[in-house]
Amino acid sequence: MVVAVVIAAMLFEFTMIWTIGVGFYMLALGEFTGLWLLVGGYAMACTPAAFGLLIATGQFWKSMTHALWIGLLYGAVGFTFLDVILGAF
């Protein structure tokens, strides 16, 4: 069970970074359908925090609003580290 959760988390992280990266790339090329990928990646970045806060606090709206900020930071840091910094190597 633990191995399955770790593997799922690793695949989730990769998919989130991929959608954000491809969304930025498409926007750079003038394809505004890349906004859908950015929104999808952002939603994926918010999901773990939303579930974790909802389970921990039991307060729906507080969990959702805090998850928006956490998802923004998580997506930005993940994209910067994995896509930009590691791509330079």
Side-chain angles (χ1 to χ4, degrees):
M1 182 75 149
V2 173
V3 172
V5 170
V6 169
I7 290 172
M10 290 170 59
L11 292 173
F12 186 81
E13 175 77 20
F14 173 75
T15 307
M16 177 195 73
I17 298 302
W18 183 85
T19 55
I20 292 173
V22 171
F24 274 122
Y25 178 73
M26 288 177 72
L27 285 175
L29 293 177
E31 295 286 332
F32 290 105
T33 54
L35 286 173
W36 288 107
L37 289 171
L38 281 176
V39 170
Y42 176 64
M44 291 178 75
C46 294
T47 302
F51 280 113
L53 287 169
L54 185 60
I55 291 168
T57 64
Q59 299 173 349
F60 180 78
W61 290 113
K62 186 176 183 179
S63 300
M64 294 304 129
T65 55
H66 280 72
L68 293 175
W69 289 105
I70 294 169
L72 182 66
L73 293 173
Y74 180 54
V77 169
F79 171 73
T80 302
F81 179 69
L82 288 176
D83 202 35
V84 177
I85 294 174
L86 292 180
F89 291 113

